[in-house]
Amino acid sequence: MIRLFFILLLVLPPALLADDEHMRLALVFEDLSSSSDKLAFVDSMMPLIEMHAAGDESKIHKIHAFLVKALQSEEYRRSKAEVYKRQFSEEELRQLIELVKTPAYKLLNERRHDIALDTQRTMILFMQKTLQDFQNLDGD
């Protein structure tokens, strides 16, 4: 078995081995940077879920549970890592991994959900005011 491993190492193209390292780094970055609170993320989408379920409480609960499970899956984790792998080089991922280990980033990540909700509310109010200002200008 050990011989087979060493033979594979000799015949596998270096690019394939590098690709494995690239994916490993992408997975590490995903694990460290992703919000672990998938439930809170799905909860933030409740208006969309409720609209899709047309008020059917049973369907709302089924969709909610399905989405939480999907976001906790290995397929989701690997899909996100594939994006990071395409977007960042190995060296960039190493730098990003160091960044996400800092206390400041951990604080930001802990509050990610609250920041997203607050930003969404703030932007809706801003756009409402901006459109009202536009209407006032247009009416002159």
Side-chain angles (χ1 to χ4, degrees):
M1 189 66 148
I2 293 174
R3 262 193 251 185
L4 178 62
F5 175 73
F6 285 113
I7 291 170
L8 283 174
L9 281 178
L10 292 174
V11 293
L12 282 176
L16 185 58
L17 293 176
D19 194 50
D20 287 346
E21 175 63 5
H22 202 170
M23 182 55 136
R24 185 192 72 74
L25 291 167
L27 286 165
V28 169
F29 179 66
E30 164 57 16
D31 292 343
L32 291 172
S33 66
S34 181
S35 172
S36 60
D37 196 352
K38 306 302 187 202
L39 181 60
F41 178 68
V42 173
D43 285 348
S44 73
M45 297 186 302
M46 281 308 289
L48 180 63
I49 293 169
E50 290 166 353
M51 185 175 71
H52 183 76
D56 181 338
E57 286 296 319
S58 173
K59 194 171 183 180
I60 290 169
H61 291 296
K62 285 179 184 176
I63 293 170
H64 187 277
F66 181 82
L67 290 175
V68 169
K69 185 176 178 181
L71 293 176
Q72 292 172 336
S73 72
E74 182 64 15
E75 181 182 0
Y76 175 79
R77 177 179 173 255
R78 293 190 76 78
S79 294
K80 281 190 67 183
E82 284 290 344
V83 171
Y84 297 137
K85 185 177 154 188
R86 286 191 301 269
Q87 294 295 318
F88 301 109
S89 69
E90 287 183 31
E91 182 54 35
E92 289 168 332
L93 283 167
R94 284 186 187 93
Q95 292 172 15
L96 289 168
I97 289 167
E98 289 307 309
L99 172 69
V100 299
K101 290 179 179 179
T102 65
Y105 185 88
K106 288 178 183 178
L107 175 64
L108 180 65
N109 204 30
E110 286 172 11
R111 296 191 186 164
R112 176 187 285 188
H113 175 69
D114 293 333
I115 291 167
L117 290 177
D118 196 8
T119 300
Q120 185 179 40
R121 283 189 296 269
T122 301
M123 290 301 102
I124 288 171
L125 292 172
F126 174 79
M127 293 305 291
Q128 287 173 338
K129 181 189 176 310
T130 302
L131 288 172
Q132 185 63 46
D133 291 348
F134 173 76
Q135 287 173 343
N136 290 340
L137 286 174
D138 195 39
D140 290 340

